[in-house]
């Protein structure tokens, strides 16, 4: 047996690097949240618009005296080398009136160019995809990167789940951290609310409402879900884009990875043999740790929920098949 290596206090520590590819609203807001979190000691920004990336890096560095010590710079994709996580937020943004699926062709073309560069520069890191349609592009990233599936993750429905919990908390007048409920399937119009396991502090929602003497009916629940599903459209109509909440969600995923927290998060990953669903990226409660996707939890879905998940898998498979024929096996 090899003797354990003695601790050398003078040995240089290996800095924790996180790379951000794409410095639009989501990428730059994520980088700001990451800086404030103190999770990374190195943050590298890469963008096709090099001056934009340089400006964002300069602005972030000026925040360091108010935040946590970190080195922030703009560089080429080759600077992703050694990053524990590379967050890809590059691509066209969703415009008012557009669905996430309207973006698939243009963003798939962008990903075919940049993903191989990221994988070549950093074959040992984790790729976290934030660009929409996120489930389709995460699958494409997996196909063309050559990385194992557990190291290619999509942000998935982490944001939808947060919205869902926030709206439920607001309706039932509780802290959203006491609400446990998931949006499964795609990050998009066919997403599925998992009512069968939704609870407040361990109590099924109906039981909680009864105990609290509050109204509880199907119409309220339907409206909560619809507002969850349509939140992005409502925000984009008002301010043009969504970025604060998704950036916070990305920071949370990165935290679970870097600290090996094994946190259950609604991220998008490769699904196999799940209620008859195979070879598609979908969002389900997933244990996330230092290796990326540790395991996907098998929910006890109702028949209606299982059917809904099958439908959303069909929607995603149709989109992924359209781009799969152009991607290497």
């Amino acid at each position: 047996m090899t003797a354990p290596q003695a601790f050398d206090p003078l040995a240089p520590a290996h800095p924790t690097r996180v790379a951000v590819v794409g410095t639009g609203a989501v990428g730059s807001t994520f980088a700001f949240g990451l800086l404030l979190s103190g999770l990374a000691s190195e943050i590298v920004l890469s963008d096709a618009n090099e001056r934009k990336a340089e400006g964002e890096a300069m602005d972030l560095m000026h925040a360091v005296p108010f935040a946590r010590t970190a080195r922030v710079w703009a560089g080429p994709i080759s600077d992703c080398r050694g990053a524990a996580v590379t967050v890809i937020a590059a691509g066209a943004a969703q415009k008012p009136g557009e669905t996430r699926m309207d973006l698939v062709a243009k963003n798939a073309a962008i990903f075919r160019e940049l993903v191989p560069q990221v994988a070549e520069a950093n074959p040992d890191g984790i790729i976290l995809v934030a660009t929409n349609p996120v489930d389709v592009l995460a699958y494409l990233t997996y196909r063309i990167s050559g990385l194992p599936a557990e190291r290619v993750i999509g942000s998935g429905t982490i944001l939808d789940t947060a919205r869902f919990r926030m709206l439920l908390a607001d309706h039932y007048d509780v802290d959203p951290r006491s609400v446990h409920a998931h949006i499964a399937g795609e990050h998009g119009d066919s997403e599925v609310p998992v009512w069968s396991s939704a609870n407040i502090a361990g109590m099924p929602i109906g039981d909680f409402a009864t105990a609290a003497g509050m109204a509880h009916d199907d119409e309220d629940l339907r409206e909560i879900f619809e507002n969850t599903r349509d939140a992005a459209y409502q925000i984009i109509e008002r301010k043009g884009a969504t970025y604060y909440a998704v950036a916070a969600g990305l920071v949370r995923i990165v935290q679970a990875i870097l600290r090996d927290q094994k946190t259950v998060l609604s991220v998008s990953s490769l699904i196999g043999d799940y209620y008859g669903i195979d070879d598609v990226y979908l969002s389900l409660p997933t244990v996330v740790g230092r290796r990326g996707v540790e395991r996907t939890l098998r929910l006890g879905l109702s028949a209606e929920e299982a059917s809904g998940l099958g439908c959303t898998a069909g929607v995603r498979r149709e989109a992924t098949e359209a781009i799969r024929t152009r991607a290497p096996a």
Side-chain angles (χ1 to χ4, degrees):
M1 178 181 293
T2 304
Q5 201 167 27
F7 172 69
D8 182 0
L10 299 180
H14 183 70
T16 300
R17 179 179 300 181
V18 174
V20 185
V21 179
T23 59
V26 171
S28 57
T29 306
F30 162 71
F32 180 55
L34 183 67
L35 176 66
L36 294 182
S37 74
L39 288 167
S41 54
E42 294 186 346
I43 303 172
V44 56
L45 308 179
S46 184
D47 197 284
N49 184 341
E50 294 179 8
R51 289 185 63 79
K52 173 70 161 60
E54 289 170 358
E56 296 291 355
M58 292 168 65
D59 201 6
L60 286 168
M61 277 302 294
H62 298 162
V64 167
F66 306 110
R68 307 291 184 91
T69 300
R71 177 181 172 227
V72 186
W73 76 97
I77 288 179
S78 59
D79 280 5
C80 294
R81 191 178 316 278
V85 184
T86 298
V87 175
I88 302 182
Q94 187 177 352
K95 298 177 182 178
E98 275 190 321
T99 68
R100 296 176 182 93
M101 288 306 298
D102 291 333
L103 304 174
V104 65
K106 60 181 93 171
N107 283 342
I110 293 170
F111 269 52
R112 286 193 186 91
E113 179 178 350
L114 67 86
V115 167
Q117 298 178 56
V118 172
E120 180 181 8
N122 191 16
D124 299 319
I126 290 171
I127 296 179
L128 174 56
V129 178
T131 308
N132 280 319
V134 65
D135 311 288
V136 176
L137 293 176
Y139 181 85
L140 177 63
T141 298
Y142 159 64
R143 293 276 297 176
I144 65 180
S145 67
L147 299 183
E150 63 267 20
R151 289 201 278 118
V152 178
I153 308 171
S155 56
T157 60
I158 191 169
L159 175 54
D160 310 77
T161 292
R163 289 167 172 160
F164 193 39
R165 291 174 174 173
M166 185 70 245
L167 290 169
L168 284 166
D170 185 60
H171 182 77
Y172 291 107
D173 195 26
V174 295
D175 186 331
R177 292 171 297 182
S178 297
V179 179
H180 306 282
H182 297 280
I183 296 292
E186 70 157 333
H187 174 55
D189 296 337
S190 69
E191 62 191 31
V192 178
V194 186
W195 292 112
S196 60
S197 61
N199 69 85
I200 298 174
M203 299 176 66
I205 288 178
D207 292 351
F208 177 88
T210 299
M214 304 177 72
H216 173 80
D217 58 46
D218 290 343
E219 181 61 25
D220 289 337
L221 301 184
R222 183 190 62 78
E223 184 176 351
I224 286 169
F225 168 63
E226 289 179 354
N227 284 330
T228 298
R229 183 194 60 202
D230 299 338
Y233 299 127
Q234 296 166 6
I235 295 169
I236 290 169
E237 181 185 6
R238 288 164 171 79
K239 59 173 276 188
T242 69
Y243 38 88
Y244 294 131
V246 68
L250 292 169
V251 171
R252 185 66 189 90
I253 297 169
V254 170
Q255 180 187 55
I257 294 169
L258 296 183
R259 294 185 176 171
D260 196 23
Q261 292 178 329
K262 295 178 172 40
T263 308
V264 177
L265 299 169
S266 296
V267 297
S268 185
S269 65
L270 185 66
I271 302 303
D273 192 24
Y274 197 100
Y275 286 91
I277 299 168
D278 281 293
D279 195 33
V280 66
Y281 263 64
L282 289 178
S283 292
L284 292 159
T286 303
V287 179
V288 179
R290 186 62 186 85
R291 293 180 296 175
V293 172
E294 302 275 344
R295 61 187 181 278
T296 301
L297 304 183
R298 187 175 182 87
L299 299 174
L301 301 176
S302 68
E304 182 179 2
E305 291 162 352
S307 174
L309 195 63
C311 288
T312 195
V315 169
R316 279 302 179 242
R317 185 171 290 108
E318 182 179 343
T320 53
E321 284 296 330
I323 61 173
R324 185 177 180 179
T325 55
R326 297 176 54 192

